[in-house]
Amino acid sequence: MAEAQHEEETKVAEETNGIVEDDETKTQRAVRQIEFYFADSNLPFDKFMWTLHTANAEHWVPVQTVASFKRMREFQPLGRDWLVAALRTSEELEVDEAGENIRRRTEVQPPKGQFERSVYAKGFGKEEPGLQKKLEEFFNKYGKTNAVRMRRIDGTKEFKGSVFAEFADFKSVDVFLNADPKPTWEGEELLIMSKEAYCDMKIKEKGLTGKAADLRRQSMAGTGRKGFNAFAEMAEKEKKGKGREDKPKPEVFLEFLGSKILVHDEDGGSVKPEDVPNVQGASLRFEGVGEDVSFDEIKVQHAQGALRAAPVREVHKGRDGGLVGFDKVLSEDDIEYVRQNLKTLSGKEVTWRVPDEEEERAFQLERATSAAKRALSPWRTGWPWRRPWRRTWRREARRGGDRNAEKAAAAADGEADEQAGAKRKRAVEPDGGPNMGIRGQGVPVIQSTKKTKTDADADS
């Protein structure tokens, strides 16, 4: 009865919007959306998806985790069985026998020809709810697309009214650019061109030539996305690994939720899923605000007492919510305290709940993997961090020897005060040589490398 009522309500809503969608079309849209998450054009550039993809050697990802993404919410009322049945029709993805996990059928490959298969279009006005979906439907009329990316202003994230659309083949690019009549949006003709033509136009506008023009073209010829790049990370790992194969590396262990986990060198730092303790109740999910929330804001709230439970160890932000990880299991009182004392984040109302088992497990694996990468980074970057630093410090302190005896010997030739002062200074202020600390400077913070900011996305 409830199912029939839901189907009737859905049908009425669709007819109200002037859209009547049959089950086959809805199935294709759901499959297509998840295929995009795993596609070469997205997976290696989406840090969270890549973490899920590399969490185990077989690259299985929980169906329930992917089904929880914002773009999949409209399909959630249909149930997991419906989604699993839909995914079994995919030629690009495979579902395990139990219907609980999903993965690609092929290995991830660096996308080729993205730049040449991409177009630029401007004239889409201001952003409104559901615009991303409308844009995808608009471009798919001309051919299959791999991605449609709305361009935004750095800092404010305001939509520029223009997009880069990547088609799956060159034929679709020609169909779009040579369409007659020309593509329009809400009755207005769009400004369209290939991404390559757009790149050349911007280089000419800025008067760039020679090496400067080449660098600008290279930056714009990428995916159009800043930040994480799995291929770049793997290349960097390979580069750093050359010449170090014969050097023994110390074993590194990670303290995680009360367990000691061995950190492996693969992928710049990784852990085996079976080594990660499955501790339920050490995470909380917030909903109502997503990418605007920063880790620092959560830490400040904790320092002010709104998260009295335990130190915050990790924050994962989603599209309209996120997960906060703690270093111990929370009690019912802890959870209720958070709900009552932290009702807003970034000026928006939020709700808190305990994540389900699969979601928390995926988050724990992500936390452990991130911690593993941080744990290995000092050794991989060559920093004399922590142990060598402290060991040198103690050696410098011991070098002082018996101060009374030295002072007596120095007094014989009139240099007692100077030498004693020099000894104290060396013990407190190392001389800056190899493996030496510097007074007033903390342990070096190893930060992730970010892509150099360009003007490409700042241009309209």
Side-chain angles (χ1 to χ4, degrees):
M1 185 72 178
E3 270 186 27
Q5 182 179 356
H6 171 73
E7 289 178 1
E8 183 62 28
E9 290 175 352
T10 302
K11 182 177 180 182
V12 170
E14 290 172 344
E15 290 176 348
T16 303
N17 292 324
I19 301 173
V20 178
E21 186 177 43
D22 57 32
D23 189 64
E24 182 179 357
T25 302
K26 184 170 290 188
T27 297
Q28 291 174 352
R29 283 202 302 110
V31 172
R32 182 177 173 78
Q33 183 60 43
I34 294 186
E35 285 178 342
F36 167 74
Y37 294 140
F38 287 87
D40 288 336
S41 59
N42 181 76
L43 178 60
F45 308 104
D46 185 325
K47 187 173 183 179
F48 181 59
M49 278 299 301
W50 186 257
T51 300
L52 295 174
H53 172 74
T54 56
N56 59 77
E58 290 76 28
H59 302 307
W60 288 112
V61 175
V63 171
Q64 186 169 341
T65 299
V66 181
S68 69
F69 293 169
K70 183 177 180 181
R71 296 295 301 278
M72 295 300 297
R73 286 186 178 176
E74 64 174 296
F75 307 108
Q76 289 177 359
L78 299 173
R80 194 184 74 170
D81 291 343
W82 178 89
L83 181 59
V84 170
L87 291 172
R88 291 194 189 280
T89 66
S90 173
E91 296 181 358
E92 300 176 17
L93 306 173
E94 62 177 328
V95 182
D96 65 10
E97 187 175 349
E100 297 179 350
N101 299 287
I102 186 172
R103 67 181 177 186
R104 291 170 55 108
R105 293 183 184 273
T106 60
E107 292 295 326
V108 180
Q109 299 293 330
K112 297 179 180 179
Q114 280 185 302
F115 184 56
E116 293 78 7
R117 288 184 282 101
S118 297
V119 299
Y120 167 84
K122 181 181 179 181
F124 296 102
K126 294 184 178 180
E127 183 172 8
E128 297 177 353
L131 179 58
Q132 177 70 40
K133 180 180 176 181
K134 292 179 182 178
L135 288 171
E136 291 172 0
E137 293 173 349
F138 171 78
F139 283 98
N140 281 329
K141 292 188 299 183
Y142 299 93
K144 182 180 178 181
T145 57
N146 289 336
V148 177
R149 296 189 172 96
M150 299 168 62
R151 305 179 67 241
R152 300 183 181 278
I153 298 174
D154 285 341
T156 65
K157 301 299 181 182
E158 180 182 354
F159 178 47
K160 295 181 178 182
S162 61
V163 304
F164 284 133
E166 179 196 331
F167 285 102
D169 53 62
F170 292 102
K171 181 180 178 181
S172 300
V173 176
D174 292 335
V175 170
F176 177 75
L177 295 178
N178 299 311
D180 187 15
K182 292 185 176 181
T184 61
W185 184 264
E186 297 182 348
E188 297 292 332
E189 187 175 304
L190 296 171
L191 171 63
I192 64 172
M193 64 186 77
S194 66
K195 188 174 181 180
E196 184 176 12
Y198 172 80
C199 175
D200 292 339
M201 180 183 73
K202 287 300 176 182
I203 289 175
K204 185 176 180 181
E205 284 180 2
K206 295 182 177 295
L208 301 178
T209 59
K211 187 175 181 180
D214 291 339
L215 291 174
R216 184 61 181 273
R217 184 174 287 102
Q218 289 174 13
S219 68
M220 296 180 69
T223 62
R225 303 176 65 175
K226 300 178 181 179
F228 180 75
N229 185 321
F231 300 114
E233 288 206 352
M234 288 187 288
E236 185 67 18
K237 172 192 170 184
E238 183 178 354
K239 180 180 178 182
K240 289 181 178 179
K242 289 182 178 179
R244 297 187 181 183
E245 291 81 0
D246 298 332
K247 294 182 180 180
K249 295 180 181 179
E251 285 190 334
V252 178
F253 289 87
L254 179 67
E255 292 289 341
F256 185 78
L257 293 176
S259 296
K260 193 174 183 180
I261 308 173
L262 176 65
V263 177
H264 300 270
D265 195 49
E266 290 79 6
D267 296 322
S270 63
V271 294
K272 292 184 177 180
E274 57 268 26
D275 293 341
V276 180
N278 189 3
V279 179
Q280 299 299 310
S283 308
L284 283 180
R285 165 170 277 283
F286 61 88
E287 295 175 338
V289 60
E291 297 180 350
D292 293 335
V293 178
S294 68
F295 180 75
D296 289 341
E297 180 178 1
I298 298 290
K299 293 287 285 185
V300 168
Q301 294 290 347
H302 178 270
Q304 294 176 348
L307 296 168
R308 67 176 183 179
V312 177
R313 294 306 182 198
E314 190 94 10
V315 176
H316 166 67
K317 298 179 293 182
R319 292 165 178 81
D320 64 345
L323 289 157
V324 179
F326 299 87
D327 66 354
K328 71 173 187 177
V329 176
L330 305 181
S331 67
E332 291 294 334
D333 290 342
D334 292 332
I335 297 171
E336 185 61 26
Y337 186 86
V338 173
R339 287 172 175 162
Q340 296 300 323
N341 290 275
L342 188 52
K343 298 182 178 181
T344 62
L345 286 173
S346 296
K348 297 181 181 179
E349 291 187 4
V350 295
T351 57
W352 295 86
R353 67 174 175 84
V354 177
D356 58 51
E357 185 176 348
E358 287 190 18
E359 186 178 27
E360 182 164 26
R361 180 56 177 168
F363 182 43
Q364 287 176 352
L365 292 175
E366 180 189 0
R367 288 178 58 187
T369 300
S370 297
K373 292 182 184 298
R374 292 194 297 269
L376 274 194
S377 57
W379 303 105
R380 299 179 63 79
T381 55
W383 274 96
W385 189 65
R386 291 193 180 276
R387 294 176 185 174
W389 187 71
R390 289 200 300 266
R391 185 165 54 246
T392 304
W393 189 276
R394 289 194 296 269
R395 185 167 61 248
E396 285 294 309
R398 286 197 298 269
R399 194 178 295 172
D402 185 342
R403 291 190 177 184
N404 291 331
E406 290 183 4
K407 187 172 182 179
D413 54 8
E415 298 179 353
D417 291 338
E418 292 182 10
Q419 289 198 11
K423 293 285 186 181
R424 286 193 297 272
K425 184 174 182 180
R426 283 198 301 275
V428 178
E429 296 181 308
D431 61 11
N435 297 333
M436 304 297 285
I438 299 176
R439 185 180 188 181
Q441 177 174 315
V443 177
V445 177
I446 311 301
Q447 297 180 333
S448 60
T449 303
K450 294 185 177 180
K451 183 178 178 182
T452 303
K453 185 176 180 181
T454 67
D455 297 328
D457 287 336
D459 300 325
S460 61

